[in-house]
Amino acid sequence: MPDLFPNPLTNRLPAERRRGRAAAHNPTGRYERHVTERVDDGWSTDPDDALPPLRTEVAIDASRSVLTRNTSPDVPFDRSVNPYRGCEHGCIYCFARPSHAQLGLSPGLDFETKLTIKPRAPALLAEALRKRGYRVQPIAIGTNTDPYQPIERQHRIMRGVLGVLKRFRHPVCITTKGASVTDDVEILGRMGRQGLAQVTLSITTLDSRLSRSMEPRAASPARRLAAVRTLARAGVPVAVNLSPLIPGLNDHELERMAEAAAEAGARGAKYTVLRLPLEVAPLFRDWLARERPQAAGRIMNRVRDLHGGRDYDPTWHRRLKGEGVHASLIARRFALARRRVGLADALPPLRCDLFRVPAEPGDQLDLGL
C-alpha cells in the first residue's frame, strides 16, 4: 500500500486555493499504485499565476441499486440509503472519507470537492420496496455522507427519497448536520406524527469558530439547534448525536451541548468518540498541527488512549465509545448530563406495521375479498 501521506508540508495546497475546506491535501488513496506529490519547479513565482480556489464538482452515479445492507453488530440498523457520495460539509474527522478511495479519488480534498449524486435514487428505492418478499425495517439515511449537504438544495434527491418513503409509509431515521433538513419539515412532521420518521442532528461543538474550522461548510451550531427546535415543534421525534467527542478539544462542552439540545426540544441523545480509520488519521493530525499546534500532541495522546494506544481501534463495540480512563470518564459524564436535562438514551421505535405498496397505473384493483 502506498504511503498515505508523503511530505505533508510540501503537499499542502496554498490556503487561498482551499478556502472553505478542512483538508489541506489530497493524500493518495490506499488502492492506488502510484503516489502523486506536489513539487515547486520554481516557475510559478508571479502572484497573478495563482490558480483559483477549488470548486465543487458533481458527477452522476450510475448505480443500479440504492438500498445498502450491513451486518455491523454495533449499529442499530441493517439497511441504508445514501443519495450522495462525498460530502461538501468537509468535516475533517469524517469516518466516511476513506470510502472515496473506492472511486479512485482522494479521501482528502477530493472528498469535499468531487461529489457524485444519485438522481435515480427515488426510483431505485421504490423499485426495491416493491419487490416481492421485501421485509420492512427502518431505513437509515445519513450513515455515510450527509443527505442535507449544500448540493441537496439544488438537486433535491433526498426530498424525492422522502416522497417515496411517505407513499409507502416506510419508517426512516435520518442523521444530518444540515439545517436544510427543515426544508422537508412538512413531510417529516407528518411522518413523525405517524411514528414513521426520526431525525438526529449531529452537534460537535457550540463554538462557531471551532465548527467553521473543523466542519467548514456544515450548518453553524446555532442553526443546527434551530433545526432541532423547528422539527420538534412540527411533531418530529428529534435526538442529538454529540459526535465526535475529542478529548482535549471539544469534550469539555459535553454538558453544555446536552443542555442546549434539551432546551431546543430534543428528546434523546447519544455520542461517539473520535475515530480515525485509514486516511482520516493523517488528515486529522495535519489539521491539528495547523489549527491547534500547541495542543496537537496532547490531543492525539488522549485520542490514542481511547483506542488502546493507536490512532484507531476498529474492534466492534469498542470503536464508537473507546476504552480506558478517558473513555470511562466521558461515558459517566454523558450519562449524568443526559439524565440531568431529561434526554432519553433512545427515541421510541419506529412503526413497521403501516407499510403498504401503493397502487400504480395498470395494477389490478383490490376487490376487498
Side-chain angles (χ1 to χ4, degrees):
M1 185 173 71
D3 181 357
L4 296 180
F5 218 180
N7 299 334
L9 291 177
T10 60
N11 274 296
R12 286 181 186 163
L13 265 68
E16 60 273 13
R17 287 215 66 208
R18 50 183 167 85
R19 191 179 306 120
R21 311 293 181 178
H25 315 76
N26 255 334
T28 304
R30 61 195 177 281
Y31 300 118
E32 304 307 309
R33 297 180 60 187
H34 303 287
V35 173
T36 60
E37 190 169 340
R38 296 182 71 249
V39 176
D40 184 359
D41 59 8
W43 285 91
S44 299
T45 57
D46 187 342
D48 293 334
D49 291 339
L51 294 172
L54 291 175
R55 304 297 183 191
T56 300
E57 302 175 19
V58 176
I60 304 296
D61 186 308
S63 298
R64 291 181 291 179
S65 63
V66 74
L67 199 58
T68 302
R69 305 279 181 164
N70 88 85
T71 57
S72 302
D74 56 357
V75 295
F77 59 88
D78 69 351
R79 64 200 71 182
S80 61
V81 170
N82 291 291
Y84 304 102
R85 301 188 72 172
C87 188
E88 198 174 5
H89 283 163
C91 304
I92 192 61
Y93 51 75
C94 183
F95 64 86
R97 282 181 177 272
S99 66
H100 235 45
Q102 298 167 359
L103 304 178
L105 298 171
S106 171
L109 284 163
D110 282 353
F111 180 79
E112 307 174 39
T113 61
K114 295 183 178 180
L115 316 178
T116 59
I117 66 174
K118 302 179 182 180
R120 295 190 62 229
L124 291 171
L125 177 60
E127 181 182 310
L129 299 185
R130 286 182 178 277
K131 287 184 178 178
R132 187 181 300 274
Y134 177 78
R135 296 292 178 264
V136 182
Q137 286 296 321
I139 290 175
I141 304 181
T143 59
N144 195 47
T145 58
D146 202 310
Y148 287 103
Q149 57 181 286
I151 59 172
E152 167 62 13
R153 283 259 168 95
Q154 175 184 354
H155 296 283
R156 310 298 280 165
I157 298 173
M158 179 61 186
R159 187 174 182 87
V161 167
L162 274 183
V164 171
L165 296 172
K166 184 183 74 170
R167 290 198 305 274
F168 280 78
R169 299 178 187 172
H170 195 293
V172 61
C173 48
I174 299 166
T175 300
T176 183
K177 294 185 181 75
S180 63
V181 64
T182 58
D183 292 351
D184 293 332
V185 68
E186 183 178 350
I187 298 175
L188 290 169
R190 179 176 177 183
M191 294 182 70
R193 292 188 296 272
Q194 294 174 320
L196 290 173
Q198 299 172 350
V199 176
T200 297
L201 270 292
S202 294
I203 299 178
T204 312
T205 177
L206 299 179
D207 181 338
S208 59
R209 293 181 65 182
L210 175 59
S211 176
R212 187 58 58 216
S213 170
M214 196 164 49
E215 40 199 26
R217 300 199 178 195
S220 69
R223 291 182 63 211
R224 288 181 229 180
L225 290 170
V228 171
R229 189 172 292 108
T230 298
L231 293 168
R233 287 175 177 171
V236 183
V238 186
V240 293
N241 189 11
L242 309 184
S243 174
L245 291 177
I246 306 169
L249 184 62
N250 69 343
D251 63 321
H252 65 282
E253 298 186 70
L254 189 160
E255 290 81 3
R256 290 192 296 120
M257 288 191 288
E259 183 176 354
E263 290 177 353
R267 298 189 196 178
K270 55 186 177 181
Y271 79 95
T272 63
V273 299
L274 178 69
R275 44 186 174 136
L276 300 172
L278 300 168
E279 294 94 342
V280 186
L283 286 164
F284 183 78
R285 290 196 305 266
D286 182 69
W287 177 86
L288 273 181
R290 286 183 284 119
E291 301 293 331
R292 293 290 192 276
Q294 302 302 318
R298 173 172 52 84
I299 291 170
M300 280 308 303
N301 284 338
R302 291 188 178 181
V303 169
R304 292 180 182 117
D305 284 344
L306 295 174
H307 298 293
R310 295 183 285 171
D311 285 353
Y312 177 55
D313 178 4
T315 305
W316 303 122
H317 305 293
R318 286 208 303 262
R319 59 182 184 148
L320 301 179
K321 296 295 190 287
E323 60 179 347
V325 173
H326 292 297
S328 297
L329 180 59
I330 288 172
R332 290 199 299 271
R333 288 175 54 203
F334 177 80
L336 288 171
R338 182 178 55 76
R339 288 197 296 267
R340 181 172 60 82
V341 299
L343 293 170
D345 59 354
L347 294 175
L350 293 168
R351 295 186 63 176
C352 296
D353 59 309
L354 300 179
F355 177 79
R356 64 175 175 82
V357 176
E360 287 190 316
D363 284 356
Q364 181 175 340
L365 297 178
D366 183 356
L367 300 179
L369 300 178

